Amino acid sequence: MTTADGIERAPRCSSTAPAGLVICGAACLSASAMFVKLADVTAGTAAFLRCALALGILVPLFFQELRRNGRLARRLQGYAVLAGIFLGIDYVMWTMSILDVGAAVATVLINVQVIAFPLLARLIGGTAMSRRFLCTIPVMLGGITLASGALQRGAAEGSAVRGTLLGVGAGVAYAAYLYLNRVSGERSPVHVVTPVCISTAAAAVTAGVAGLFTTGITLSMSPASWGWVTALALLGQVAAWLLISIGTPRLAPNTSAGLLLLQPVMAMGFGLLILRETPSPCQLAGCLVVIAAVWFSLRTPRATATRLSCAGSCSFPRALRRKVTFRVRHTKRRS
């Protein structure tokens, strides 16, 4: 659909398919921590190579999309660069937060995006947030807290204040990336690869520069480590963000943010099945709370759904009957 100002916007459609794409993207993201752990490399190396290797797949796809759909608008290219800078900042700050407060607490902190993403869409784009979603925010965050094990003894170590600030900052940067990525998808739905490719390049530069001054970057790795880092780039960067880029413009911001909360829950599932990690009963309970809260926030009330389904099917026949009745009465009067 093209607006009067010539900007293409995503058509409105059923939310089932876009939600499935976002869930698949969240599943790819949830495997990232597992790949990093199996690769056994520094945080700076993982963040930089995650983006740099992904460009080997994204660049050919970018040129193919360029020949098919033309260039992305210059303003949207700027949005993509800015989004990539935020994504690179997110990767670096989150990794540093892990070193300060641990992976469990850092996972909780970065999920401040569930509030920041819809709030940015509300303040900048004027997108409304549903009352049902606002009511489930505390439940979602509480479930994430339980699932991460942050409340268990010995969960947080290191510099708690600095780690907390870094984790919250990473969550805000993550939300900014999601919002800018959504804007590009809404205004130019035919360009899916281009914004991801540009933002990934910007994220690679940002993470590379930051990595040099923090944990360092090394390319001297074992073949197994290269294999896991390559899997991180293909699934955690290419597949994840392409799927999310297609799905999020067709969903409300609060819906996208809620679905992405499934990411740490699925990460725990990967750890259980592949890494043989054993979650505590408290963590399992947190997973169930998150899943239930996301389902409740996305659920359409039965009465509302009935009214919406009947509106289109009943309004036209009623109007038609009124029109036919008027014509019959008018004909009788004339005769």
Side-chain angles (χ1 to χ4, degrees), residues 139-140 142-144 147 258 261-262 265 285-295:
V139 181
M140 292 179 182
I144 289 293
L261 271 183
L262 296 174
V265 176
C287 293
L288 294 178
V289 169
V290 171
I291 294 172
V294 171
W295 172 82

Side-chain angles (χ1 to χ4, degrees), residues 35-157:
F35 292 144
V36 171
K37 188 171 183 178
L38 292 172
D40 192 22
V41 296
T42 64
T45 301
F48 170 71
L49 291 180
R50 172 181 188 166
C51 300
L53 293 178
L55 291 175
I57 301 296
L58 291 173
V59 169
L61 294 177
F62 162 75
F63 283 109
Q64 182 179 359
E65 186 174 82
L66 181 65
R67 290 192 298 268
R68 185 173 63 250
N69 300 324
R71 296 178 60 183
L72 183 68
R74 182 169 299 179
R75 177 182 296 181
L76 297 183
Q77 292 180 24
Y79 287 168
V81 172
L82 186 60
I85 294 174
F86 278 117
L87 184 62
I89 293 173
D90 163 38
Y91 286 160
V92 174
M93 294 181 72
W94 184 54
T95 304
M96 295 176 66
S97 176
I98 292 174
L99 299 177
D100 282 341
V101 298
V105 178
T107 301
V108 176
L109 295 173
I110 197 174
N111 277 284
V112 72
Q113 63 84 19
V114 75
I115 301 174
F117 178 27
L119 187 59
L120 285 174
R122 174 62 177 173
L123 295 177
I124 301 176
T127 304
M129 293 185 289
S130 66
R131 184 179 302 177
R132 180 183 291 262
F133 172 75
L134 293 174
C135 292
T136 55
I137 285 177
V139 181
M140 292 179 182
L141 295 180
I144 289 293
T145 303
L146 292 173
S148 68
L151 299 181
Q152 298 178 11
R153 183 175 302 176
E157 299 176 356

Side-chain angles (χ1 to χ4, degrees), residues 5 14 55 142 168 203 205 241 267 301:
D5 55 1
S14 172
L55 291 175
V168 172
V205 174
W241 291 118

Side-chain angles (χ1 to χ4, degrees), residues 207-228:
V209 172
L212 290 175
F213 292 97
T214 53
T215 62
I217 298 176
T218 178
L219 301 180
S220 178
M221 302 184 299
S222 66
S225 295
W226 276 108
W228 291 118

Side-chain angles (χ1 to χ4, degrees), residues 225-238:
S225 295
W226 276 108
W228 291 118
V229 170
T230 302
L232 172 67
L234 294 179
L235 288 179
Q237 190 66 27
V238 177

Side-chain angles (χ1 to χ4, degrees), residues 126-216:
T127 304
M129 293 185 289
S130 66
R131 184 179 302 177
R132 180 183 291 262
F133 172 75
L134 293 174
C135 292
T136 55
I137 285 177
V139 181
M140 292 179 182
L141 295 180
I144 289 293
T145 303
L146 292 173
S148 68
L151 299 181
Q152 298 178 11
R153 183 175 302 176
E157 299 176 356
S159 178
V161 176
R162 186 181 67 176
T164 299
L165 293 177
L166 287 171
V168 172
V172 175
Y174 183 30
Y177 170 79
L178 291 174
Y179 174 74
L180 292 170
N181 194 43
R182 170 187 168 85
V183 171
S184 296
E186 281 185 328
R187 298 187 180 182
S188 184
V190 297
H191 292 96
V192 176
V193 179
T194 303
V196 176
C197 183
I198 295 175
S199 61
T200 299
V205 174
T206 304
V209 172
L212 290 175
F213 292 97
T214 53
T215 62

